[in-house]
Amino acid sequence: MKIVVGHLYPDYLNIYADRGNIAVLARRAAWRGHDLEVRAVGVGEELERGEHDLLYVGGGQDREQALVARDLAAKREQLLAAVETGASVLAVCGGYQLLGRFYRFADGEELPGVGLFPLHTIAGERRMIGDILLECDFAPGGKRTLAGFENHAGRTYLDADAQPLGRVVAGFGNDGRSGYEGCRVGRAVGTYLHGPLLPRNPWLADWLLEQALAHAAGVEPTALEPLPDELEQNAHAVAALRARDRGGRF
Ligand code: GLN
């Protein structure tokens, strides 16, 4: 199968090697005989209806977010339609914030958001930096952990009925207080976890691929055959240990 990925603003939103997430998706798809075709979507470029099976947006400093926020907000209807028709989404940090309703800087300036995720973000004084570990239970197979690295000034507040991505085991997470991290709306996942995220969390990479393949084929998601992920599991274990050891401290 061919999986079409829309990479939003690769030139602006790509810090902490977030681009590496695409490389992992491409490799894990290829190991199962599938092709990943990545199409950059920049400022002023439209999202064609049904074109993408997966949409990806990385993180960025406030300055870069300010350069793309209005263009991204103008794509609101196209993005909501893509998710409504089953495309999956992975949004990391700055990209995650801009898929909420708004991101307000410490000086009060406000960047408009897409409103895909039922949340808003307000920048705080101190950055929340460090290793982070989450516990998630949305994927088949029960509870699993996600390990990564966070670095954000933004405090993200989920609406009461919103679904977080996971419970914070160690680290700051959305706001350093709620005990939750990220947000999930169906096949759309938003998170503060950099690293990049997917090399040390292969189960999430496969979950996203399963959703994207289902969209491409117009069928229900089915489990991909497992891969020998020793290296990935070791990287996960090391990151989880670091997070338990020192995550969530200013
Ligand atoms: N600029 C945003 C913040 O500081 C996002 C940072 C990022 O993507 N790492 O919160």
Side-chain angles (χ1 to χ4, degrees), residues 15-16 59-62 65 93-94 97 103 127 151-154 194:
I15 51 177
Y16 306 117
Q61 307 300 353
D62 291 0
Q65 289 175 285
C93 206
Q97 295 168 336
Y103 172 32
R127 299 191 69 80
N151 182 343
H152 52 110
H194 291 284

Side-chain angles (χ1 to χ4, degrees), residues 108-132:
E109 182 196 347
E110 203 168 281
L111 299 183
V114 166
L116 167 66
F117 294 126
L119 57 86
H120 64 275
T121 302
I122 299 174
E125 293 305 316
R126 301 188 68 180
R127 299 191 69 80
M128 297 193 277
I129 302 176
D131 298 285
I132 178 167

Side-chain angles (χ1 to χ4, degrees), residues 31-114:
W31 280 329
R32 278 84 170 230
H34 303 297
D35 290 327
L36 209 78
E37 182 181 321
V38 182
R39 300 177 185 170
V41 182
V43 171
E45 292 171 350
E46 303 282 308
L47 290 175
E48 299 307 324
R49 195 175 177 80
E51 176 185 357
H52 304 100
D53 304 305
L54 190 154
L55 291 159
Y56 175 72
V57 57
Q61 307 300 353
D62 291 0
R63 194 175 91 61
E64 278 72 30
Q65 289 175 285
L67 292 172
V68 301
R70 284 169 187 73
D71 184 83
L72 181 60
K75 290 182 176 44
R76 170 183 161 76
E77 298 314 318
Q78 297 160 24
L79 280 162
L80 296 184
V83 171
E84 268 154 33
T85 51
S88 47
V89 174
L90 175 61
V92 175
C93 206
Y96 162 49
Q97 295 168 336
L98 294 180
L99 292 187
R101 280 188 297 273
F102 64 82
Y103 172 32
R104 189 181 300 148
F105 293 157
D107 65 7
E109 182 196 347
E110 203 168 281
L111 299 183
V114 166

Side-chain angles (χ1 to χ4, degrees), residues 133-136 143-147 169 201 203 236 240 244:
L133 183 66
L134 311 182
E135 185 182 78
C136 308
K143 290 194 171 140
R144 298 167 191 234
T145 51
L146 285 177
V169 176
N201 300 289
W203 72 264
H236 182 92
R244 288 181 193 281

